[in-house]
Amino acid sequence: MERFRDRVAVITGAGSGIGRALALACAGRGCKVVLADVEAQPLADAEAAVKAFDIETLAVKTDVGNAESMAALADATIARFGAIHILCNNAGVGGGGLIKNQQLVDWKWVIDVNLWGVIHGLQYFLPHLLKADEAHVVSTASVAGLYSLPGLGPYNATKYGVVAIMETLYFEMAEDASSNVDVSVLCPGLVNTNIASAQRNRPEHLRRVRAPSSRDKDRPAAGDASKRNAAIAAALEAGKDPAEVAELVLEAIAERRFWVLSHPEHLEDIRGRNDTLHALANPDPPRVIF
Ligand SMILES: NC(=O)c1ccc[n+]([C@@H]2O[C@H](COP(=O)([O-])OP(=O)(O)OC[C@H]3O[C@@H](n4cnc5c(N)ncnc54)[C@H](O)[C@@H]3O)[C@@H](O)[C@H]2O)c1
């Protein structure tokens, strides 16, 4: 993208973490910023922070997993600004646990937000991006979309899916002579955000049902689970500043780069996975785990 000033940037999950930082970074470059999030108060707070850059903003309470809600976000953006140049499909949730202990509602919630959120973004925003003189779409995946982290089955599945969708879109846009849409995928390692408390946004109808006591022996003891959660929260706290990650994304948009990896230390694990695949050897667990 040649210039950012007065471009219209839409960011999902803009109420917190990486999305909030992306909104601030876009505002800092003079974009008009549309903030979307399912949580009303953090969304309002983020909008107030973005307004300090003296740019035009629009905040829309949005559930990315819901098709009507995402269609309404696109409509509201067009009604207000008339065009869309940048889409950051960023909203996401993480839920941990071994695959043998997952319930269908665990899979459904994570897939609804992380995978359908991106699909809805492309469905309703791509037609507008294609009309712009230049445009860019970036979706937030994870290093968990490049190698599989034990204990994060549903999350890994969605993030591999996001990488696959964005890679496919990159090829398709590159082949389409009439397209001015550039494509990136963000694959962060640990970033200091609120993702450890993602359950705060879990809809009531997708909450876990208590397993019958006969199966409780297969589940981790509550103490183990809370220790694990505390360890994840501590690791996230020591993670990268979201503002640094947002700057990398904006640089990639300016330079039309596809891959945005905020943590180069993960390249070794990515190469390791590819090497075992190339050798048709059984996979090794990654060296760096959440
Ligand atoms: N933090 C990390 O270490 C890390 C690492 C790799 C990838 N990611 C990815 O980064 C993205 C942003 O997460 P974050 O770390 O900033 O977490 P965060 O919890 O701080 O922010 C996520 C935001 O998404 C919003 N959200 C949740 N469900 C939503 C829904 N259904 N519709 C709309 N908004 C919704 C939340 O309200 C929140 O504001 C996610 O896709 C996540 O998977 C994060």
Side-chain angles (χ1 to χ4, degrees):
M1 180 155 288
E2 298 282 325
R3 72 170 167 88
F4 286 91
R5 182 148 300 280
D6 292 330
R7 296 305 200 186
V8 179
V10 180
I11 295 123
T12 68
S16 172
I18 297 171
R20 189 181 200 273
L22 282 168
L24 289 166
C26 287
R29 282 167 169 78
C31 292
K32 298 169 183 175
V33 178
V34 180
L35 303 98
D37 203 287
V38 77
E39 258 191 314
Q41 192 54 52
L43 177 63
D45 294 346
E47 189 192 20
V50 165
K51 268 193 193 309
F53 286 86
D54 204 21
I55 48 115
E56 289 182 69
T57 65
L58 174 67
V60 185
K61 190 166 184 282
T62 306
D63 176 358
V64 296
N66 178 291
E68 289 76 30
S69 184
M70 281 295 273
L73 174 65
D75 290 348
T77 304
I78 292 297
R80 172 72 182 275
F81 294 120
I84 303 169
H85 303 95
I86 298 173
L87 170 65
C88 301
N89 269 324
N90 167 78
V93 293
L98 303 178
I99 287 178
K100 69 175 184 176
N101 297 322
Q102 296 299 292
Q103 298 180 354
L104 289 181
V105 284
D106 298 324
W107 289 94
K108 180 143 179 44
W109 173 53
V110 175
I111 291 172
D112 274 357
V113 180
N114 294 7
L115 199 53
W116 277 105
V118 169
I119 296 166
H120 292 146
L122 296 179
Q123 187 70 25
Y124 297 113
F125 286 78
L126 202 48
H128 300 295
L129 296 174
L130 283 163
K131 283 186 204 148
D133 60 326
E134 57 172 0
H136 201 113
V137 54
V138 52
S139 296
T140 306
S142 165
V143 288
L146 301 170
Y147 57 82
S148 305
L149 297 160
L152 285 175
Y155 189 78
N156 295 335
T158 59
K159 296 304 183 178
Y160 267 71
V162 172
V163 171
I165 290 169
M166 299 313 284
E167 222 173 349
T168 307
L169 184 64
Y170 174 85
F171 296 139
E172 292 176 1
M173 292 293 113
E175 274 173 14
D176 181 348
S178 67
S179 163
N180 290 316
V181 180
D182 290 308
V183 180
S184 301
V185 68
L186 167 64
C187 298
L190 289 168
V191 185
N192 185 6
T193 70
N194 293 312
I195 198 162
S197 63
Q199 298 284 340
R200 70 193 186 277
N201 289 313
R202 189 163 175 161
E204 206 49 54
H205 71 286
L206 294 179
R207 297 241 163 232
R208 286 179 72 90
V209 288
R210 195 161 148 50
S213 54
S214 59
R215 296 211 189 130
D216 277 357
K217 62 180 168 40
D218 294 334
R219 307 187 57 195
D224 291 349
S226 71
K227 257 190 238 155
R228 193 171 171 280
N229 289 344
I232 291 173
L236 283 164
E237 248 182 76
K240 219 167 212 158
D241 182 343
E244 273 182 60
V245 178
E247 278 307 312
L248 292 175
V249 173
L250 276 271
E251 278 167 25
I253 293 177
E255 294 166 13
R256 300 188 156 93
R257 262 189 294 109
F258 178 73
W259 294 112
V260 192
L261 268 74
S262 54
H263 294 60
E265 61 269 33
H266 293 300
L267 286 169
E268 203 176 309
D269 277 318
I270 296 162
R271 190 178 303 115
R273 176 179 187 269
N274 290 340
D275 286 349
T276 49
L277 173 60
H278 190 72
L280 296 181
N282 290 345
D284 292 322
R287 205 174 34 91
V288 184
I289 304 186
F290 282 115

